[in-house]
Amino acid sequence: MPIDLNGVMVPTRSISNVFSRYVTNLVVSNDDPTFLLSLRGSATPIVFEGRYFLACCSHQLKGVEYDRVALLEEDGTHLVTSAGVRHFITKTDSDYSDLAIFDFSEPCREHPDLRRRFFPFREIPPYAPNTDTLFLQVAGYPTSMQDYDVDEATKRLGFKKLKVLCDLDGQPADPALMRLRTTEPLSIDPDGMSGGSAFTVQLVNGRPKAYLAGMTTRAGGEHIHILKSGYIMSLLRAILEGRREA
């Protein structure tokens, strides 16, 4: 039967491709005239209560000037930065403090074509028995699969996306995380998957419904850890509340 994603019924055969739309390269602009950009793995674009945010991991940004974090337009001709508007969590022992959020609302107003890449984040998965989870999918851009050369046929940079089907694999000690097991061991090095989106399909009242499950923080050949989407939503709400108070 079709899967409900934000009230839209998506055929099961199409849901994997729909999920994988909502992940992007984490790009950093450079001053170097030859190497104009660097890739820092993956990122999850989210639109929440009318504002456009890019979620990634702080550990992906070591040595990076934050105002250089950017989105690459689909035709590969322009880099669009967030102008350094960012939000972090106070450092704790939890991987929740590895979450970094960049506000791309203003750039998205100036570049409307960027908006369709952002997932409308409206709700988190309900608490339910593991048996109600049908499957999960993680997507990202492993470093070993990327190519900076322009493809002669498409005239675009050779960035390649990896989609990984997973199952739940227990709760780690950190309550902010969820541990997933890949349905098949990965045949490539998953370095670069951090920051990528994770979606889940659950049975709700007997019917399949899809949700943003979270964002990858660590990936291995057989296990992937994701930061739960409820924690991402908590920071987004705090950001918007801070704007209203300001």
Side-chain angles (χ1 to χ4, degrees):
M1 62 180 70
I3 296 169
D4 180 350
L5 178 63
N6 280 338
V8 176
M9 305 309 293
V10 181
T12 303
R13 65 180 178 275
S14 304
I15 197 69
S16 176
N17 289 333
V18 173
F19 288 161
S20 66
R21 292 176 191 169
Y22 302 112
V23 65
T24 189
N25 296 103
L26 181 61
V27 179
V28 175
S29 64
N30 297 328
D31 286 330
D32 192 305
T34 303
F35 302 100
L36 299 178
L37 58 86
S38 299
L39 299 182
R40 289 297 184 116
S42 310
T44 299
I46 297 166
V47 56
F48 183 72
E49 296 190 5
R51 295 193 66 82
Y52 294 80
F53 299 99
L54 192 69
C56 63
C57 299
S58 294
H59 76 256
Q60 298 172 255
L61 301 173
K62 289 181 179 178
V64 170
E65 296 177 23
Y66 298 129
D67 59 358
R68 292 186 175 275
V69 172
L71 283 173
L72 185 66
E73 290 191 342
E74 290 187 5
D75 61 5
T77 58
H78 293 88
L79 282 173
V80 181
T81 69
S82 70
V85 182
R86 67 271 184 184
H87 307 269
F88 301 96
I89 300 296
T90 302
K91 199 66 179 174
T92 70
D93 291 334
S94 170
D95 270 21
Y96 179 34
S97 62
D98 196 26
L99 174 60
I101 298 285
F102 289 79
D103 192 335
F104 274 83
S105 300
E106 296 304 324
C108 281
R109 273 191 270 276
E110 297 179 14
H111 302 268
D113 57 303
L114 292 175
R115 298 176 192 171
R116 63 175 176 265
R117 297 161 62 180
F118 288 73
F119 176 69
F121 186 25
R122 300 171 184 166
E123 54 185 337
I124 62 175
Y127 180 79
N130 287 357
T131 52
D132 286 353
T133 298
L134 301 182
F135 70 93
L136 299 100
Q137 179 177 294
V138 173
Y141 291 84
T143 303
S144 61
M145 292 176 59
Q146 308 315 306
D147 187 349
Y148 284 89
D149 292 330
V150 176
D151 186 286
E152 289 302 320
T154 64
K155 302 301 180 183
R156 296 183 179 183
L157 295 169
F159 298 151
K160 294 181 176 62
K161 189 182 305 179
L162 180 66
K163 299 180 287 187
V164 184
L165 290 179
C166 301
D167 298 304
L168 292 173
D169 191 44
Q171 174 62 51
D174 186 344
L177 297 182
M178 187 184 304
R179 184 172 63 237
L180 311 181
R181 182 181 66 255
T182 61
T183 55
E184 296 181 2
L186 299 181
S187 59
I188 65 165
D189 184 348
D191 179 66
M193 294 290 285
S194 288
S197 59
F199 284 85
T200 182
V201 176
Q202 295 183 197
L203 284 176
V204 179
N205 298 322
R207 302 188 68 85
K209 189 170 181 178
Y211 302 88
L212 179 68
M215 179 193 75
T216 299
T217 59
R218 287 175 277 152
E222 297 185 10
H223 291 92
I224 295 174
H225 287 77
I226 66 171
L227 176 68
K228 297 175 183 177
S229 58
Y231 286 81
I232 300 173
M233 183 175 282
S234 293
L235 178 54
L236 294 176
R237 290 196 186 283
I239 292 169
L240 294 179
E241 186 61 32
R243 286 181 57 85
R244 284 190 285 266
E245 291 177 357

